[in-house]
C-alpha cells in the first residue's frame, strides 16, 4: 500500500500507561524502522513521551478514543504541534488472536502510515466544556427520574393511590399532599381540601380516599431519604442550567435561531450546539453530519442487490436529542415538517419515519449554521414548503 506519512506513531492508551510504536520510512517495499516505548500517564511522563516523539521526528500521532483516558494524553501531546488523529476503536480492530498492547499500537501505526485511519471530530475546548456540562445535566435528570420512580414504587406498595388522581406529585398540590403523608399528620378531608387547587379535576373525597393506605416505618424512612435526594438533584440541575447559560452567552443568536425550528426546545438547541458546535466546516455536507450522528442507514450491497440495514451508532447524545425533537415536530400544527412525517408514515414504519424526520431536522440545522440563516415556512403553489431565508 502507498505510504502517505513517513514518520508516524500509534498510541495504545490505558489508565496507567501508554504503549507507543513509531514507524519511520518512506518506502512501501522496505520495512520501516520500528521503535517502541512505554510511558506513564502522569503529566510529567506524558511530557517526556512528547519529547521522545520529537526526537524521533514524528509527524502524525494516532490514538484510540478509549473512554476518558485519551483526553489528558491528547491535551499534553497537542502542545508539541503534532498532527493528531483520534480514531474510533470500532473501525480499527486488529486481527482476532493478536490482542496485546504492543500489537495494538503497531497496528494503529501501520494504518496511520498508509492513511487508512479516519480522524474523529474533536471540537474546540470551549465546546468540549459545554458538552461535558450538557451530558452531566442529562445524567442528573435521569438519576432524578429514577428517584421519582422509587417514590412511586413506595406509594404503590403502601396502597397510597395518589398518582392515580394527580399526574405530577412532585410539584404544586401533589407535593403538598405528599408532604402530609411524609410528615405523619392525621389526614382529614379539610386538610386535603386546603392542599388542593381548582385546577385539579379530582374531588377532595377522591383524593382523601386515595390516601387511605399504610406507610410502614421503613418505607417512611426510605421516602424521607428519597425526597432529600430529590431536592439535592433539583439544586444540582439548576446550577448546571446556570452554568450552561453562561457557557452559551456568546452563542445566543444561534441558540435563538435553532429554537425557531419546530420541535427544537431550549434544551435540544443547547445539546445541538454542544455536540456539533457553532461551526460545521469539519463536516463535508449535511449528509456527512447525519452519518456522524447515526441518523442514516449503513451501506449494504451484495451480489448487485442493495439490502436494508440498521442506522449506525453515531453520536448517541445528538441522535437522542434530534429524535425527541422529531417527536415534537410531528405534532406541531401548521408545520411542513408534520406534513413530511405523515407522508412518510403512510408508506413506511412510523419509527422509520421519525428517524427520517430527525435526519431532515439535522440537515436544516446544518444549513442554518452554515449560512447564518433563519427558519421560515411559507405556502407556495398551495403546498407547504420549508425554506431557509437568509438574514439581511
Amino acid at each position: 500500500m502507498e505510504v502517505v506519512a513517513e514518520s508516524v506513531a500509534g498510541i495504545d492508551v490505558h489508565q496507567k500507561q501508554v504503549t507507543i510504536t513509531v514507524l519511520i520510512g518512506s518506502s512501501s517495499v522496505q520495512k520501516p524502522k520500528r521503535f517502541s516505548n512505554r510511558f506513564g500517564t502522569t503529566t510529567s511522563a506524558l511530557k517526556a513521551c512528547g519529547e521522545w516523539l520529537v526526537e524521533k521526528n514524528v509527524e502524525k500521532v494516532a490514538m484510540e478514543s478509549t473512554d476518558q483516558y485519551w483526553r489528558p494524553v491528547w491535551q499534553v501531546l497537542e502542545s508539541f504541534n503534532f498532527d493528531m488523529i483520534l480514531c474510533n476503536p470500532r473501525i480499527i480492530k486488529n486481527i482476532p488472536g493478536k490482542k496485546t498492547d504492543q500489537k495494538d499500537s503497531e497496528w494503529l501505526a501501520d494504518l496511520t502510515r498508509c492513511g487508512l485511519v479516519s480522524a474523529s471530530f474533536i471540537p474546540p475546548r470551549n465546546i468540549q466544556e459545554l458538552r461535558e456540562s450538557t451530558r452531566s445535566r442529562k445524567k442528573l435528570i435521569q438519576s432524578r427520574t429514577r428517584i421519582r420512580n422509587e417514590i412511586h414504587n413506595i406509594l404503590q406498595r403502601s396502597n397510597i393511590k395518589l398518582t392515580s388522581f394527580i399526574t405530577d406529585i412532585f410539584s404544586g398540590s401533589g407535593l403538598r399532599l405528599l408532604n402530609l403523608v411524609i410528615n405523619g399528620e392525621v389526614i382529614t378531608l379539610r386538610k386535603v381540601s386546603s392542599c388542593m387547587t381548582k385546577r385539579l379535576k379530582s374531588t377532595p373525597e377522591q383524593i382523601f380516599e386515595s390516601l387511605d393506605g399504610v406507610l410502614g416505618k421503613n418505607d417512611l424512612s426510605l421516602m424521607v431519604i428519597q425526597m432529600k435526594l430529590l431536592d439535592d438533584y433539583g439544586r444540582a440541575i439548576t446550577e448546571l442550567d446556570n452554568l450552561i447559560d453562561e457557557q452559551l452567552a456568546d452563542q445566543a443568536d444561534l441558540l435563538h435561531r435553532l429554537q425557531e425550528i419546530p420541535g427544537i426546545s431550549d434544551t435540544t438547541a443547547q445539546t445541538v450546539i454542544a455536540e456539533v458546535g457553532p461551526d460545521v466546516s469539519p463536516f463535508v455536507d449535511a449528509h456527512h453530519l447525519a452519518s456522524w450522528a447515526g441518523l442514516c442507514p449503513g451501506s449494504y450491497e451484495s451480489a448487485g442487490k442493495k439490502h436494508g440495514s440498521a442506522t449506525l451508532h453515531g453520536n448517541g447524545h445528538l441522535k437522542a436529542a434530534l429524535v425527541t425533537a422529531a417527536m415534537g415536530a410531528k405534532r406541531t400544527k401548521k408545520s411542513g415538517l408534520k406534513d413530511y412525517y405523515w407522508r412518510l408514515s403512510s408508506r413506511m414504519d412510523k419509527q422509520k419515519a421519525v428517524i427520517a424526520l430527525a435526519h431532515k431536522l439535522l440537515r436544516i440545522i446544518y444549513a442554518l449554521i452554515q449560512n447564518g440563516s433563519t427558519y421560515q415556512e411559507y405556502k407556495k403553489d398551495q403546498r407547504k414548503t420549508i425554506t431557509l431565508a437568509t438574514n439581511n
Side-chain angles (χ1 to χ4, degrees), residues 188-237:
T188 62
L189 186 60
R190 183 177 180 180
K191 288 184 178 180
V192 171
S193 299
S194 64
C195 293
M196 295 176 61
T197 60
K198 295 182 179 180
R199 297 180 60 183
L200 289 178
K201 296 181 180 179
S202 303
T203 63
E205 289 76 12
Q206 290 176 322
I207 300 297
F208 178 73
E209 186 178 355
S210 70
L211 294 174
D212 186 17
V214 179
L215 187 64
K217 182 179 180 181
N218 184 63
D219 282 339
L220 178 60
S221 300
L222 292 176
M223 181 83 76
V224 172
I225 294 173
Q226 299 291 356
M227 291 299 292
K228 289 180 180 179
L229 287 175
L230 199 60
D231 292 338
D232 293 338
Y233 277 120
R235 285 191 293 269
I237 291 171

Side-chain angles (χ1 to χ4, degrees), residues 145-341:
T145 301
R146 285 194 292 269
I147 296 297
R148 289 180 174 179
N149 290 338
E150 183 59 32
I151 293 174
H152 280 287
N153 292 336
I154 294 174
L155 293 176
Q156 289 300 322
R157 66 172 175 253
S158 301
N159 203 32
I160 297 175
K161 301 297 183 178
L162 190 60
T163 54
S164 299
F165 298 93
I166 300 179
T167 304
D168 185 10
I169 63 172
F170 300 104
S171 63
S173 301
L175 183 59
R176 288 191 291 270
L177 291 167
L178 187 60
N179 286 331
L180 288 180
V181 177
I182 295 175
N183 295 334
E185 299 182 24
V186 178
I187 300 176
T188 62
L189 186 60
R190 183 177 180 180
K191 288 184 178 180
V192 171
S193 299
S194 64
C195 293
M196 295 176 61
T197 60
K198 295 182 179 180
R199 297 180 60 183
L200 289 178
K201 296 181 180 179
S202 303
T203 63
E205 289 76 12
Q206 290 176 322
I207 300 297
F208 178 73
E209 186 178 355
S210 70
L211 294 174
D212 186 17
V214 179
L215 187 64
K217 182 179 180 181
N218 184 63
D219 282 339
L220 178 60
S221 300
L222 292 176
M223 181 83 76
V224 172
I225 294 173
Q226 299 291 356
M227 291 299 292
K228 289 180 180 179
L229 287 175
L230 199 60
D231 292 338
D232 293 338
Y233 277 120
R235 285 191 293 269
I237 291 171
T238 301
E239 292 177 4
L240 265 179
D241 286 335
N242 296 333
L243 175 60
I244 291 171
D245 290 338
E246 293 177 5
Q247 293 172 331
L248 283 170
D250 57 342
Q251 303 294 338
D253 177 65
L254 176 58
L255 188 67
H256 176 71
R257 288 188 287 117
L258 287 175
Q259 293 179 56
E260 293 178 350
I261 304 174
I264 302 291
S265 63
D266 181 47
T267 303
T268 302
Q270 292 173 349
T271 302
V272 169
I273 297 176
E275 299 300 330
V276 179
D279 179 22
V280 292
S281 58
F283 304 97
V284 179
D285 52 29
H287 298 286
H288 186 199
L289 176 59
S291 176
W292 177 78
L295 286 173
C296 62
S299 178
Y300 179 36
E301 181 179 348
S302 180
K305 296 181 180 180
K306 292 185 178 181
H307 303 272
S309 59
T311 56
L312 305 175
H313 291 288
N315 186 316
H317 300 277
L318 179 60
K319 184 177 182 179
L322 290 174
V323 169
T324 302
M327 296 293 289
K330 74 183 182 68
R331 294 190 296 267
T332 304
K333 295 182 179 179
K334 297 181 180 180
S335 168
L337 293 173
K338 178 182 179 181
D339 297 339
Y340 176 77
Y341 166 78

Side-chain angles (χ1 to χ4, degrees), residues 134-150:
T134 55
R135 291 182 179 183
S136 296
R137 180 179 61 183
K138 181 180 178 181
K139 292 178 181 178
L140 287 179
I141 291 174
Q142 291 173 342
S143 298
R144 184 178 64 178
T145 301
R146 285 194 292 269
I147 296 297
R148 289 180 174 179
N149 290 338
E150 183 59 32

Side-chain angles (χ1 to χ4, degrees), residues 12-29:
D12 186 58
V13 181
H14 291 281
Q15 181 180 3
K16 294 183 178 180
Q17 68 175 17
V18 294
T19 304
I20 306 175
T21 296
V22 175
L23 300 180
I24 301 176
S26 59
S27 174
S28 59
V29 179

